[in-house]
C-alpha cells in the first residue's frame, strides 16, 4: 500500500505571496525538482510504489519555498530522504557498463551538493531500485507511464502546476531516450520554465507554460500536445486561405474565405516570403517554440494544419505580408478572421484534406503502373490491404503485379505504414531476406538515464513469411520516396528495406521520430506522448531527429506544387530511366 504524505496547503493568497517572494531566489526550487525526481526514479521504496510520490512533492514544496538559506534547504531534503525508509545494500548495483547506452546519464550534479545531502543521495544511487516492475517507468515494449492527472483543478494552483513541471522535466531526464540530442541543455530548460509554472494565475497561462515546455523537446512524436484553451493560448485569428510550406516559403493552396481573399488580393499560387517584415523562417520561430518536432521540416508540415495555421494565426487581426506573384514582389496588408462556427465550417474541407494527406490514406491506389515495366506501391494502402480478412488473395495479386514490372519499383513511404507487410510479403516477393537494419534501445529501469540495447541483430525477421518467396532477386531498380511525412514506422520500414536489398531513397528529411511511443499524464487532465525508444542504424548513425539516410535529395518547388506535380516521383522515374 502506498504511503501518503500529509498535506497542509495554504490559501491561494498566502501561496501567491510565498511564491512571489521567492522569485528572486528560485534556485532552491530548481534543486528541489531535481532531488525529488532523482528519488522518484532511483529510490527503491519509491520506485517500487510504496510512496505516493506526488504527495511527497506537494508536502515538501512549501518548506522549500520558505527556506532562507542553503543549510535549511539541505536539512529539508535530508529529512525527506529519511521519511522514505532505510535502503538495503544492493549487491548488483554497479557503475554503467560499456554495454549500456549512457549519453543521457547525468548524475554528476549529486557530487556537487553539500554534506550530508550528497552522501544520502549517492547512497540511493549506489543502492538503487533493482525490482522487476518500476512504478514510474515502462519495461522494454510497454509504453504507458500511467500517473494521476488530477482532472479537477482550480486555478491558480501553483503547487500542482509545479508538480506538472517537475513530472515532465524528470520524465525527460530519466526516461526519454533522446535527451542528449536536444538543442537546449535540459537543466537550462528547467531554470527557464520555473517562473511560468509558479506564477501562472489562469488555466490559459498554465496551458501556455505547458505547450512551451513540451515544445522544448525535439521530438516529432511529442507534437500536438492537446490543450483546452486553444484560442487563448494560440490566438483566435486565422487566415482566410489554406497553405503549405515549401522549404522556407509558404504557398497559398486554396481559398477558405473567398470574399476576404478577394478584398486582400490573395490568390491561389501566391508565394508568401515574408511576414511583418521578417522572413518566414524568422516569423515562425515563436510558433516553433510552442510545437514539438524533431526538425523544422516536420514542424512546417504541422504548421500548415488548418487547425494551427502558423505563423499567421495569433492575437492580431491584421498582418503585413510579402508576396511573390509572377516574378514580382508585392507588399500587402493581410486581414485575419476570428474563428467562429461559420469559419470552422468553411475550413472543414481543407482540414479533412490535410488529415487525409498527413494522417490518413493519401493514395487512392495500392499498386499502379507509372512507366513501361515500372510499378508503384502506396505503402499505407498496402498495409491496409494486408489487414483485411481476404488479404491473402489480394496481396498475392499485388505481389504478382510487382514481379510483372521488372524494370523498376517505386514505394511511396510519404505516409504511415506497418512493418508486418514488409516482412511477410514484400521481402519474399523481392527475393531477399531481412538483414540487421537498426539498433533498438529501451529505458533501463535499474539505472534510469541509461538505455539497454535490445539486440535487434539477433531478432530480424520475426514476422513469418506469408507470400511466396521468389528464388531470384527482383531485377529492377527500387526507389523509396520519403519526406517530412515519413514518420515512425514508415522510417522503420525504410531502414528495413535499406538493409535488405539495394534501394535508392529519394526525397527530403523525414520526421525523425522512430522507436514507438510512450504515453504520459500531467495535472489538470493533460495527456501526451513522446518517443519511447532510441533507434539508430547499425553503424551508429542517428535516426532520431535526423531521419533516415537519403541518397538523392529532392525537394518540391513552389511551381511544381502549384501545378499539382509530384516532383519526387518525377525524379524517381528519371533515375530508373538512366
Amino acid at each position: 500500500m502506498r504511503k501518503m504524505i500529509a498535506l497542509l496547503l495554504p490559501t491561494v493568497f498566502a501561496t501567491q505571496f510565498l511564491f512571489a517572494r521567492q522569485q528572486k531566489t528560485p534556485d532552491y526550487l530548481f534543486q528541489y525538482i531535481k532531488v525529488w525526481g532523482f528519488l522518484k526514479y532511483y529510490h527503491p521504496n519509491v520506485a517500487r510504489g510504496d510512496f505516493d510520490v506526488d504527495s511527497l512533492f506537494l508536502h515538501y514544496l512549501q518548506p522549500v519555498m520558505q527556506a532562507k538559506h542553503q543549510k535549511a534547504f539541505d536539512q529539508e531534503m535530508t529529512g525527506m530522504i529519511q521519511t522514505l525508509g532505510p535502503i538495503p545494500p544492493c549487491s548488483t548495483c554497479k557503475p554503467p557498463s560499456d554495454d549500456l547506452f549512457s549519453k543521457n546519464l547525468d548524475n554528476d550534479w549529486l557530487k556537487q551538493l553539500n554534506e550530508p545531502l550528497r552522501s544520502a543521495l549517492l547512497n540511493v544511487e549506489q543502492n538503487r531500485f533493482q525490482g522487476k516492475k518500476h512504478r514510474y517507468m515502462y519495461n522494454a515494449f510497454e509504453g504507458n507511464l500511467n500517473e494521476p492527472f488530477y482532472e479537477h483543478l482550480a486555478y491558480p494552483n501553483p503547487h500542482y502546476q509545479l508538480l506538472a513541471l517537475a513530472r515532465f522535466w524528470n520524465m525527460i531526464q530519466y526516461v526519454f531516450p533522446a535527451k542528449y540530442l536536444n538543442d537546449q541543455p535540459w537543466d537550462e530548460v528547467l531554470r527557464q520554465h520555473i517562473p511560468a509554472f509558479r506564477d501562472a494565475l489562469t488555466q490559459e497561462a498554465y496551458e501556455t507554460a505547458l505547450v512551451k515546455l513540451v515544445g522544448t523537446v525535439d521530438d516529432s512524436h511529442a507534437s500536438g500536445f492537446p490543450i483546452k484553451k486553444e484560442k487563448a493560448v494560440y490566438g483566435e485569428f486565422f487566415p482566410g486561405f489554406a497553405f503549405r510550406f515549401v522549404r522556407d516559403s509558404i504557398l497559398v493552396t486554396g481559398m477558405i474565405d473567398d470574399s476576404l481573399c478577394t478584398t486582400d488580393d490573395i490568390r491561389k499560387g501566391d508565394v508568401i516570403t515574408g511576414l511583418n517584415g521578417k522572413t518566414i523562417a524568422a516569423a515562425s520561430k515563436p510558433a516553433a517554440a510552442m510545437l514539438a518536432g524533431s526538425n523544422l521540416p516536420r514542424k512546417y508540415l504541422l504548421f500548415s494544419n488548418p487547425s494551427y495555421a502558423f505563423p499567421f494565426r495569433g492575437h492580431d487581426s491584421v498582418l503585413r505580408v510579402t508576396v511573390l506573384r509572377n516574378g514580382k514582389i508585392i507588399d500587402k496588408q493581410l486581414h485575419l478572421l476570428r474563428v467562429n462556427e461559420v469559419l470552422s465550417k468553411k475550413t472543414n474541407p481543407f482540414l479533412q484534406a490535410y488529415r487525409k494527406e498527413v494522417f490518413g490514406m493519401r493514395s487512392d491506389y495500392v499498386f499502379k503502373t507509372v512507366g513501361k515495366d515500372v510499378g508503384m506501391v502506396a505503402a499505407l494502402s498496402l498495409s491496409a490491404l494486408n489487414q483485411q480478412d481476404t488479404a491473402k488473395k489480394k496481396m498475392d495479386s499485388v505481389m504478382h503485379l510487382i514481379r510483372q514490372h521488372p524494370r523498376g519499383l517505386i514505394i511511396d513511404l510519404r505516409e504511415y505504414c506497418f512493418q508486418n507487410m514488409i516482412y511477410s510479403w514484400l521481402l519474399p516477393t523481392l527475393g531477399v531476406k531481412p538483414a540487421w537494419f537498426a539498433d533498438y534501445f529501451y529505458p533501463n529501469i535499474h539505472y534510469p538515464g541509461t538505455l539497454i540495447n535490445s539486440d535487434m541483430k539477433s531478432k530480424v525477421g520475426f514476422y513469418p513469411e506469408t507470400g511466396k518467396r521468389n528464388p531470384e532477386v527482383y531485377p529492377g531498380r527500387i526507389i523509396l520516396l520519403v519526406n517530412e511525412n515519413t514518420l515512425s514506422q514508415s522510417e522503420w520500414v525504410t531502414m528495413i528495406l535499406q538493409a535488405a536489398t539495394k534501394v535508392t531513397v529519394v526525397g527530403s528529411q523525414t520526421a525523425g521520430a522512430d522507436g514507438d511511443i510512450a504515453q504520459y499524464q500531467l495535472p489538470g487532465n493533460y495527456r501526451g506522448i513522446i518517443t519511447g525508444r532510441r533507434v539508430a542504424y547499425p553503424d551508429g548513425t542517428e535516426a532520431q531527429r535526423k531521419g533516415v539516410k537519403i541518397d538523392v535529395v529532392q525537394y518540391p518547388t513552389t511551381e511544381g506544387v502549384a501545378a499539382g506535380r509530384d516532383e519526387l516521383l518525377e525524379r524517381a522515374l528519371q533515375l530508373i530511366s538512366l
Side-chain angles (χ1 to χ4, degrees):
M1 182 176 180
R2 288 188 299 167
K3 300 175 184 176
M4 306 292 290
I5 306 296
L7 299 180
L8 292 173
L9 300 184
T11 65
V12 169
F13 295 108
T15 300
Q16 288 178 295
F17 170 77
L18 287 170
F19 278 76
R21 189 181 68 172
Q22 186 66 18
Q23 288 183 23
K24 294 182 180 179
T25 56
D27 202 56
Y28 296 148
L29 188 49
F30 170 81
Q31 293 177 51
Y32 176 55
I33 289 174
K34 294 191 70 172
V35 170
W36 172 81
F38 176 81
L39 294 173
K40 174 179 179 178
Y41 288 100
Y42 273 77
H43 198 291
N45 301 337
V46 178
R48 192 168 52 241
D50 293 351
F51 286 84
D52 182 335
V53 75
D54 290 353
S55 70
L56 185 75
F57 178 87
L58 298 169
H59 177 77
Y60 282 93
L61 182 59
Q62 200 64 32
V64 165
M65 299 304 299
Q66 293 174 301
K68 293 181 170 59
H69 46 74
Q70 187 67 49
K71 186 176 181 180
F73 170 82
D74 289 355
Q75 288 174 341
E76 290 292 343
M77 294 301 93
T78 303
M80 179 171 67
I81 297 169
Q82 291 173 348
T83 66
L84 301 177
I87 303 175
C90 176
S91 60
T92 60
C93 296
K94 298 176 182 178
S97 57
D98 291 340
D99 61 338
L100 291 180
F101 185 86
S102 57
K103 286 187 177 181
N104 288 320
L105 187 63
D106 178 25
N107 288 344
D108 288 345
W109 61 277
L110 299 173
K111 300 174 184 177
Q112 300 169 11
L113 300 173
N114 300 322
E115 292 291 0
L117 179 58
R118 174 173 56 194
S119 293
L121 290 173
L122 288 174
N123 179 58
V124 173
E125 181 184 27
Q126 292 160 6
N127 299 283
R128 58 192 174 273
F129 173 77
Q130 296 292 291
K132 291 184 178 181
K133 188 171 181 61
H134 195 297
R135 170 62 184 87
Y136 302 105
M137 294 179 71
Y138 47 84
N139 289 316
F141 295 97
E142 298 174 357
N144 190 349
L145 296 174
N146 195 28
E147 297 193 61
F149 46 80
Y150 307 109
E151 184 173 359
H152 303 293
L153 290 186
Y155 300 93
N157 205 319
H159 293 80
Y160 282 89
Q161 290 162 194
L162 284 168
L163 174 61
L165 171 62
R167 188 188 286 181
F168 184 87
W169 188 89
N170 281 291
M171 174 188 69
I172 301 300
Q173 175 81 344
Y174 296 109
V175 182
F176 182 53
K179 185 191 74 171
Y180 68 103
L181 293 174
N182 230 46
D183 283 340
Q184 193 173 2
W186 201 234
D187 273 9
E188 184 180 303
V189 169
L190 178 55
R191 288 188 188 278
Q192 289 182 355
H193 285 78
I194 285 174
F197 281 86
R198 181 193 59 208
D199 303 336
L201 298 178
T202 63
Q203 185 175 11
E204 293 88 340
Y206 174 49
E207 290 191 342
T208 300
L210 282 173
V211 297
K212 288 184 176 180
L213 176 65
V214 175
T216 63
V217 180
D218 300 316
D219 178 24
S220 293
H221 276 140
S223 62
F225 180 79
I227 58 175
K228 304 171 181 62
K229 304 284 185 179
E230 283 197 7
K231 288 192 291 185
V233 174
Y234 296 132
E236 58 181 333
F237 291 99
F238 286 76
F241 53 86
F243 62 90
R244 64 167 288 179
F245 278 79
V246 182
R247 308 288 297 272
D248 284 330
S249 296
I250 291 175
L251 176 70
V252 177
T253 57
M255 304 294 107
I256 294 174
D257 190 290
D258 292 307
S259 176
L260 182 63
C261 289
T262 299
T263 300
D264 284 348
D265 188 27
I266 295 293
R267 307 177 191 177
K268 185 176 180 179
D270 280 349
V271 179
I272 300 175
T273 60
L275 178 62
N276 287 340
K278 299 178 180 179
T279 64
I280 293 300
S284 298
K285 285 185 177 180
M290 301 179 78
L291 196 64
S294 297
N295 49 58
L296 197 55
R298 182 65 185 183
K299 288 191 177 187
Y300 281 170
L301 175 67
L302 299 173
F303 285 3
S304 59
N305 182 339
S307 295
Y308 284 129
F310 296 137
F312 302 105
R313 180 182 182 177
H315 301 286
D316 296 326
S317 61
V318 181
L319 305 172
R320 293 209 62 85
V321 293
T322 302
V323 175
L324 175 63
R325 179 188 298 161
N326 298 326
K328 295 182 179 180
I329 299 293
I330 308 168
D331 289 317
K332 58 172 62 260
Q333 198 172 62
L334 179 70
H335 293 87
L336 303 182
L337 294 167
R338 179 180 275 112
V339 63
N340 55 33
E341 187 174 342
V342 174
L343 180 60
S344 297
K345 188 174 182 180
K346 290 181 177 180
T347 303
N348 189 60
F350 297 94
L351 179 60
Q352 296 307 316
Y354 174 87
R355 287 174 175 169
K356 180 180 179 182
E357 178 79 12
V358 177
F359 304 117
M361 196 173 297
R362 61 189 294 272
S363 305
D364 57 1
Y365 67 93
V366 177
F367 179 93
K368 65 181 179 180
T369 299
V370 291
K372 182 175 174 54
D373 294 330
V374 179
M376 184 170 179
V377 170
L380 179 57
S381 298
L382 187 64
S383 296
L385 184 67
N386 191 40
Q387 304 300 317
Q388 296 180 8
D389 294 336
T390 57
K392 189 176 187 310
K393 184 176 180 180
K394 293 178 180 178
M395 292 293 287
D396 274 331
S397 176
V398 174
M399 298 303 114
H400 180 66
L401 286 171
I402 289 175
R403 298 295 299 197
Q404 285 186 322
H405 291 72
R407 188 158 164 258
L409 175 65
I410 300 170
I411 303 174
D412 194 348
L413 288 161
R414 295 171 292 180
E415 55 191 0
Y416 201 83
C417 67
F418 301 101
Q419 61 179 320
N420 56 344
M421 61 90 178
I422 299 294
Y423 286 120
S424 301
W425 289 96
L426 193 55
L427 294 186
T429 297
L430 297 175
V432 297
K433 293 185 177 182
W436 179 28
F437 65 95
D439 281 330
Y440 185 84
F441 301 78
Y442 58 88
N444 182 5
I445 66 171
H446 296 149
Y447 210 141
T450 66
L451 305 173
I452 297 173
N453 192 332
S454 64
D455 190 23
M456 285 293 296
K457 187 176 182 179
S458 65
K459 300 175 183 176
V460 293
F462 48 85
Y463 283 103
E465 293 185 3
T466 306
K468 178 182 177 182
R469 171 163 293 283
N470 282 286
E472 297 180 359
V473 175
Y474 177 78
R477 187 164 189 176
I478 302 173
I479 294 182
L480 314 181
L481 303 183
V482 301
N483 65 4
E484 63 275 10
N485 202 34
T486 306
L487 168 73
S488 196
Q489 273 209 62
S490 296
E491 295 176 291
W492 184 259
V493 165
T494 302
M495 297 169 72
I496 293 172
L497 291 168
Q498 284 176 313
T501 188
K502 185 176 181 180
V503 299
T504 302
V505 180
V506 175
S508 56
Q509 186 176 25
T510 59
D514 213 333
D516 294 330
I517 60 171
Q519 303 171 44
Y520 65 88
Q521 302 78 29
L522 296 176
N525 195 19
Y526 297 95
R527 298 168 174 86
I529 60 174
I530 55 170
T531 293
R533 287 92 185 159
R534 175 181 182 259
V535 173
Y537 283 92
D539 65 3
T541 300
E542 299 288 353
Q544 182 74 12
R545 297 206 64 188
K546 284 186 177 181
V548 303
K549 294 179 180 179
I550 296 175
D551 301 300
V552 178
V553 176
Q554 178 68 51
Y555 293 98
T557 64
T558 53
E559 296 83 5
V561 175
R565 292 163 47 203
D566 188 340
E567 291 165 287
L568 272 66
L569 175 57
E570 292 173 5
R571 185 74 175 109
L573 291 171
Q574 289 175 2
L575 292 169
I576 290 173
S577 66
L578 293 178

